[in-house]
Coordinates of all heavy atoms in Angstrom, one line a residue:
M1005 N 0.8 -1.2 0.0 CA 0.0 0.0 0.0 C 0.9 1.2 0.0 O 1.8 1.4 0.8 CB -0.9 0.0 1.3 CG -2.0 0.9 1.3 SD -3.2 0.3 0.1 CE -4.4 1.6 0.3
P1006 N 0.7 2.2 -0.9 CA 1.5 3.4 -1.0 C 1.2 4.3 0.2 O 0.1 4.3 0.8 CB 1.1 4.1 -2.3 CG -0.2 3.4 -2.7 CD -0.3 2.1 -2.0
T1007 N 2.2 5.0 0.6 CA 2.1 6.0 1.7 C 1.4 7.3 1.2 O 1.3 7.5 0.0 CB 3.5 6.4 2.2 OG1 4.2 7.1 1.2 CG2 4.3 5.2 2.7
N1008 N 1.0 8.1 2.1 CA 0.3 9.4 1.7 C 1.3 10.2 0.9 O 0.9 10.9 -0.1 CB -0.2 10.1 2.9 CG -1.4 9.5 3.5 OD1 -2.2 8.9 2.8 ND2 -1.6 9.7 4.8
A1009 N 2.6 10.2 1.3 CA 3.6 11.0 0.6 C 3.8 10.5 -0.8 O 3.9 11.3 -1.8 CB 4.9 11.0 1.4
Q1010 N 3.8 9.2 -1.0 CA 3.9 8.6 -2.3 C 2.7 9.0 -3.2 O 2.8 9.3 -4.4 CB 4.0 7.1 -2.3 CG 5.4 6.6 -1.9 CD 5.4 5.1 -1.7 OE1 4.6 4.5 -1.1 NE2 6.5 4.5 -2.3
L1011 N 1.5 9.0 -2.6 CA 0.3 9.3 -3.4 C 0.3 10.8 -3.8 O -0.1 11.1 -4.9 CB -1.0 9.0 -2.6 CG -1.2 7.5 -2.3 CD1 -2.4 7.4 -1.4 CD2 -1.4 6.8 -3.6
R1012 N 0.8 11.7 -2.9 CA 0.9 13.1 -3.3 C 1.9 13.2 -4.4 O 1.7 14.0 -5.4 CB 1.3 13.9 -2.1 CG 0.1 14.1 -1.1 CD 0.4 15.2 -0.1 NE 1.6 14.9 0.7 CZ 1.7 14.2 1.8 NH1 0.5 13.7 2.3 NH2 2.8 14.0 2.4
G1013 N 3.1 12.5 -4.3 CA 4.1 12.6 -5.4 C 3.6 12.0 -6.7 O 3.9 12.5 -7.8
L1014 N 2.8 10.9 -6.6 CA 2.2 10.3 -7.8 C 1.2 11.3 -8.5 O 1.2 11.4 -9.7 CB 1.5 9.0 -7.5 CG 0.9 8.3 -8.6 CD1 1.9 7.9 -9.7 CD2 0.1 7.1 -8.1
Y1015 N 0.4 12.0 -7.7 CA -0.5 13.0 -8.2 C 0.3 14.1 -9.0 O -0.1 14.5 -10.1 CB -1.4 13.6 -7.1 CG -2.3 14.6 -7.7 CD1 -3.5 14.2 -8.3 CD2 -2.0 16.0 -7.6 CE1 -4.4 15.2 -8.8 CE2 -2.9 16.9 -8.1 CZ -4.1 16.5 -8.7 OH -4.9 17.4 -9.2
R1016 N 1.3 14.7 -8.3 CA 2.1 15.7 -8.9 C 2.7 15.2 -10.2 O 2.7 15.9 -11.3 CB 3.1 16.3 -8.0 CG 2.6 17.1 -6.8 CD 3.7 17.8 -6.1 NE 4.8 16.9 -5.7 CZ 4.8 16.2 -4.5 NH1 3.8 16.3 -3.7 NH2 5.8 15.4 -4.2
L1017 N 3.3 14.0 -10.2 CA 4.0 13.5 -11.4 C 3.0 13.2 -12.5 O 3.3 13.5 -13.6 CB 4.7 12.2 -11.0 CG 5.5 11.5 -12.1 CD1 6.6 12.4 -12.7 CD2 6.0 10.2 -11.6
S1018 N 1.9 12.6 -12.2 CA 0.8 12.4 -13.1 C 0.3 13.6 -13.8 O 0.1 13.7 -15.0 CB -0.4 11.6 -12.5 OG 0.1 10.4 -12.0
Y1019 N 0.1 14.7 -13.0 CA -0.3 15.9 -13.6 C 0.7 16.5 -14.5 O 0.4 16.9 -15.6 CB -0.6 16.9 -12.5 CG -1.1 18.3 -13.0 CD1 -2.4 18.5 -13.3 CD2 -0.2 19.3 -13.2 CE1 -2.8 19.7 -13.8 CE2 -0.6 20.5 -13.6 CZ -1.9 20.7 -14.0 OH -2.3 21.9 -14.5
W1020 N 1.9 16.5 -14.1 CA 3.0 17.0 -14.9 C 3.2 16.2 -16.2 O 3.3 16.8 -17.3 CB 4.3 16.9 -14.1 CG 5.5 17.5 -14.7 CD1 5.8 18.8 -15.0 CD2 6.7 16.7 -15.2 NE1 7.0 18.9 -15.6 CE2 7.6 17.7 -15.7 CE3 7.0 15.4 -15.2 CZ2 8.8 17.3 -16.3 CZ3 8.2 15.0 -15.7 CH2 9.1 15.9 -16.3
L1021 N 3.1 14.9 -16.1 CA 3.3 14.1 -17.3 C 2.1 14.3 -18.3 O 2.3 14.4 -19.5 CB 3.4 12.6 -17.0 CG 4.8 12.2 -16.4 CD1 4.7 10.7 -15.9 CD2 5.8 12.2 -17.5
T1022 N 0.9 14.2 -17.8 CA -0.3 14.2 -18.7 C -0.7 15.6 -19.2 O -1.1 15.7 -20.3 CB -1.4 13.4 -18.1 OG1 -1.8 14.0 -16.8 CG2 -1.1 12.0 -17.9
Y1023 N -0.7 16.5 -18.3 CA -1.2 17.9 -18.7 C -0.2 18.8 -19.2 O -0.5 19.7 -20.0 CB -2.0 18.5 -17.5 CG -3.3 17.8 -17.3 CD1 -3.4 16.9 -16.1 CD2 -4.4 17.9 -18.1 CE1 -4.6 16.3 -15.9 CE2 -5.6 17.2 -17.9 CZ -5.7 16.4 -16.8 OH -6.8 15.7 -16.6
I1024 N 1.0 18.7 -18.7 CA 2.1 19.6 -19.1 C 2.9 19.1 -20.3 O 3.1 19.7 -21.3 CB 3.1 20.0 -17.9 CG1 2.3 20.5 -16.7 CG2 4.2 20.9 -18.4 CD1 1.5 21.8 -16.9
M1025 N 3.3 17.8 -20.1 CA 4.2 17.2 -21.2 C 3.4 16.4 -22.2 O 3.9 16.0 -23.2 CB 5.2 16.3 -20.6 CG 6.2 17.0 -19.7 SD 7.5 16.0 -19.1 CE 8.3 15.4 -20.6
L1026 N 2.1 16.1 -21.9 CA 1.2 15.4 -22.8 C 1.7 14.0 -23.1 O 1.7 13.5 -24.3 CB 0.9 16.2 -24.1 CG 0.3 17.6 -23.9 CD1 0.2 18.3 -25.3 CD2 -1.0 17.5 -23.3
Q1027 N 2.2 13.3 -22.1 CA 2.8 12.0 -22.2 C 1.9 11.0 -21.5 O 1.4 11.2 -20.5 CB 4.2 11.9 -21.6 CG 5.2 12.8 -22.2 CD 5.5 12.3 -23.6 OE1 5.7 11.1 -23.9 NE2 5.6 13.3 -24.5
P1028 N 1.7 9.8 -22.1 CA 0.8 8.8 -21.5 C 1.6 8.0 -20.4 O 2.8 7.9 -20.4 CB 0.5 7.8 -22.6 CG 1.7 7.9 -23.6 CD 2.1 9.4 -23.5
I1029 N 0.8 7.6 -19.4 CA 1.4 6.7 -18.3 C 0.9 5.3 -18.6 O -0.2 5.0 -18.8 CB 0.9 7.2 -17.0 CG1 1.3 8.6 -16.7 CG2 1.3 6.2 -15.9 CD1 0.8 9.3 -15.5
H1030 N 1.9 4.4 -18.7 CA 1.6 3.0 -19.1 C 1.5 2.1 -17.9 O 0.8 1.1 -17.9 CB 2.7 2.5 -20.0 CG 2.8 3.2 -21.3 ND1 1.9 3.0 -22.3 CD2 3.6 4.2 -21.7 CE1 2.2 3.8 -23.3 NE2 3.2 4.6 -23.0
L1031 N 2.3 2.3 -16.8 CA 2.4 1.4 -15.7 C 2.7 2.1 -14.4 O 3.5 3.0 -14.4 CB 3.5 0.4 -16.0 CG 3.8 -0.6 -14.9 CD1 2.6 -1.7 -14.8 CD2 5.1 -1.3 -15.1
V1032 N 2.0 1.8 -13.3 CA 2.2 2.2 -12.0 C 2.2 1.0 -11.1 O 1.2 0.3 -11.1 CB 1.2 3.3 -11.5 CG1 1.5 3.7 -10.1 CG2 1.2 4.5 -12.4
C1033 N 3.3 0.7 -10.4 CA 3.3 -0.5 -9.5 C 4.2 -0.2 -8.3 O 5.0 0.7 -8.4 CB 3.7 -1.7 -10.2 SG 5.3 -1.7 -10.9
I1034 N 4.1 -1.0 -7.3 CA 5.0 -0.9 -6.1 C 6.1 -2.0 -6.2 O 5.8 -3.2 -6.5 CB 4.2 -1.1 -4.8 CG1 3.2 0.1 -4.7 CG2 5.2 -1.2 -3.6 CD1 2.4 0.0 -3.4
D1035 N 7.3 -1.6 -6.1 CA 8.5 -2.5 -6.0 C 8.5 -3.1 -4.6 O 8.8 -2.3 -3.7 CB 9.8 -1.8 -6.4 CG 11.0 -2.7 -6.4 OD1 10.9 -3.8 -6.0 OD2 12.0 -2.2 -7.0
D1036 N 8.3 -4.4 -4.5 CA 8.2 -5.0 -3.2 C 9.6 -5.0 -2.4 O 9.6 -5.0 -1.2 CB 7.7 -6.5 -3.3 CG 6.3 -6.5 -3.6 OD1 5.5 -5.6 -3.2 OD2 5.9 -7.5 -4.3
R1037 N 10.7 -4.9 -3.2 CA 12.0 -4.9 -2.6 C 12.3 -3.6 -1.9 O 12.9 -3.6 -0.8 CB 13.1 -5.2 -3.6 CG 12.9 -6.6 -4.2 CD 13.9 -6.7 -5.4 NE 13.4 -5.8 -6.5 CZ 14.2 -5.2 -7.4 NH1 15.4 -5.5 -7.4 NH2 13.6 -4.4 -8.3
T1038 N 11.9 -2.5 -2.5 CA 12.3 -1.2 -2.0 C 11.1 -0.4 -1.5 O 11.3 0.7 -0.9 CB 12.9 -0.3 -3.1 OG1 12.0 -0.2 -4.2 CG2 14.2 -1.0 -3.6
N1039 N 9.9 -0.8 -1.7 CA 8.6 -0.1 -1.4 C 8.5 1.2 -2.1 O 7.7 2.1 -1.7 CB 8.5 0.1 0.1 CG 8.1 -1.2 0.8 OD1 7.5 -2.1 0.2 ND2 8.6 -1.4 2.0
N1040 N 9.2 1.3 -3.3 CA 9.1 2.5 -4.1 C 7.9 2.3 -5.1 O 7.7 1.2 -5.6 CB 10.3 2.8 -4.9 CG 11.5 3.3 -4.0 OD1 11.3 3.6 -2.8 ND2 12.7 3.3 -4.6
L1041 N 7.2 3.4 -5.5 CA 6.3 3.3 -6.6 C 7.1 3.5 -7.9 O 8.0 4.3 -8.0 CB 5.3 4.5 -6.5 CG 4.1 4.3 -5.6 CD1 3.3 5.6 -5.7 CD2 3.2 3.1 -6.1
Y1042 N 6.8 2.6 -8.8 CA 7.5 2.7 -10.1 C 6.5 3.1 -11.2 O 5.4 2.6 -11.2 CB 8.0 1.3 -10.5 CG 8.7 1.2 -11.8 CD1 10.0 1.6 -12.0 CD2 8.0 0.7 -12.9 CE1 10.6 1.6 -13.2 CE2 8.6 0.6 -14.1 CZ 9.9 1.0 -14.3 OH 10.5 1.0 -15.5
V1043 N 6.9 4.1 -12.0 CA 6.0 4.7 -13.0 C 6.8 4.6 -14.3 O 7.9 5.1 -14.5 CB 5.7 6.2 -12.7 CG1 4.8 6.7 -13.8 CG2 5.0 6.3 -11.3
L1044 N 6.1 4.0 -15.3 CA 6.6 3.9 -16.7 C 5.7 4.8 -17.6 O 4.5 4.6 -17.6 CB 6.6 2.4 -17.2 CG 7.1 2.2 -18.6 CD1 8.6 2.5 -18.7 CD2 6.9 0.7 -18.9
A1045 N 6.3 5.7 -18.3 CA 5.5 6.7 -19.1 C 6.2 7.0 -20.4 O 7.4 6.6 -20.6 CB 5.3 7.9 -18.2
G1046 N 5.6 7.8 -21.2 CA 6.1 8.3 -22.4 C 5.5 7.6 -23.6 O 5.1 6.4 -23.5
N1047 N 5.6 8.2 -24.7 CA 5.0 7.7 -26.0 C 5.7 6.4 -26.3 O 5.1 5.4 -26.8 CB 5.1 8.6 -27.1 CG 4.1 9.8 -27.0 OD1 3.0 9.6 -26.5 ND2 4.5 11.0 -27.3
S1048 N 7.0 6.3 -26.1 CA 7.7 5.0 -26.4 C 8.2 4.3 -25.2 O 9.1 3.5 -25.2 CB 9.0 5.4 -27.3 OG 9.8 6.3 -26.7
E1049 N 7.5 4.6 -24.0 CA 7.8 4.0 -22.8 C 9.2 4.1 -22.3 O 9.9 3.2 -21.8 CB 7.4 2.5 -22.8 CG 5.9 2.3 -23.1 CD 5.5 0.8 -23.2 OE1 6.4 -0.1 -22.8 OE2 4.4 0.5 -23.5
T1050 N 9.8 5.3 -22.5 CA 11.2 5.5 -22.2 C 11.4 6.4 -20.9 O 12.5 6.5 -20.4 CB 11.9 6.3 -23.3 OG1 11.2 7.5 -23.6 CG2 12.0 5.4 -24.6
L1051 N 10.3 6.9 -20.3 CA 10.4 7.7 -19.1 C 10.1 6.8 -17.9 O 9.1 6.2 -17.8 CB 9.4 8.8 -19.1 CG 9.5 9.8 -20.3 CD1 8.4 10.8 -20.3 CD2 10.8 10.5 -20.2
E1052 N 11.1 6.7 -17.0 CA 10.9 5.9 -15.8 C 11.1 6.7 -14.6 O 12.1 7.5 -14.5 CB 12.0 4.7 -15.8 CG 11.9 3.8 -17.0 CD 13.0 2.8 -17.0 OE1 13.6 2.5 -16.0 OE2 13.2 2.2 -18.1
F1053 N 10.2 6.6 -13.6 CA 10.3 7.3 -12.4 C 10.1 6.4 -11.2 O 9.4 5.4 -11.3 CB 9.2 8.4 -12.3 CG 9.3 9.4 -13.4 CD1 8.6 9.2 -14.6 CD2 10.1 10.5 -13.3 CE1 8.7 10.1 -15.6 CE2 10.2 11.5 -14.3 CZ 9.5 11.3 -15.5
Q1054 N 10.7 6.7 -10.1 CA 10.5 6.0 -8.8 C 10.1 7.0 -7.8 O 10.7 8.1 -7.7 CB 11.7 5.2 -8.4 CG 11.9 4.0 -9.3 CD 13.0 3.1 -8.7 OE1 13.0 2.9 -7.5 NE2 13.8 2.5 -9.5
I1055 N 9.1 6.7 -7.0 CA 8.7 7.6 -5.9 C 9.0 6.9 -4.6 O 8.4 5.8 -4.3 CB 7.2 8.0 -6.0 CG1 7.0 8.6 -7.4 CG2 6.8 8.9 -4.9 CD1 5.5 8.9 -7.7
T1056 N 9.8 7.4 -3.7 CA 10.2 6.8 -2.5 C 9.1 6.9 -1.5 O 8.2 7.7 -1.7 CB 11.5 7.4 -1.9 OG1 11.2 8.8 -1.6 CG2 12.7 7.3 -2.9
P1057 N 9.1 6.1 -0.4 CA 8.1 6.2 0.6 C 7.9 7.6 1.2 O 6.8 7.9 1.7 CB 8.5 5.2 1.7 CG 9.2 4.1 0.9 CD 10.0 4.9 -0.2
N1058 N 9.0 8.4 1.2 CA 8.8 9.8 1.7 C 8.4 10.8 0.7 O 8.3 12.0 0.9 CB 10.1 10.2 2.5 CG 11.3 10.3 1.6 OD1 11.2 10.1 0.4 ND2 12.4 10.7 2.1
G1059 N 8.1 10.3 -0.6 CA 7.5 11.2 -1.6 C 8.5 11.8 -2.6 O 8.1 12.5 -3.5
E1060 N 9.8 11.5 -2.5 CA 10.8 12.0 -3.4 C 10.6 11.3 -4.7 O 10.5 10.1 -4.8 CB 12.2 11.8 -2.9 CG 12.6 12.6 -1.7 CD 14.0 12.4 -1.4 OE1 14.9 13.0 -2.0 OE2 14.3 11.6 -0.4
V1061 N 10.7 12.0 -5.8 CA 10.6 11.5 -7.2 C 12.0 11.4 -7.8 O 12.7 12.4 -7.9 CB 9.7 12.3 -8.1 CG1 9.6 11.8 -9.5 CG2 8.3 12.4 -7.4
F1062 N 12.4 10.2 -8.3 CA 13.6 10.0 -9.0 C 13.4 9.6 -10.4 O 12.5 8.9 -10.7 CB 14.5 8.9 -8.3 CG 14.9 9.3 -7.0 CD1 14.4 8.7 -5.9 CD2 16.0 10.2 -6.8 CE1 14.8 9.0 -4.6 CE2 16.4 10.5 -5.5 CZ 15.8 9.9 -4.4

């Protein structure tokens, strides 16, 4: 289950990707090893992001 900070980070990232950059989001899942949210996006699925449990986006 994602943390509140991860959900806030995911909302900001989703807004930025879809409304500002006009890029689709293909996959959002939790990495069980690190508890990071993993986001795969972009027209050719080349944009990768991770959101840590404290909400930092990498």
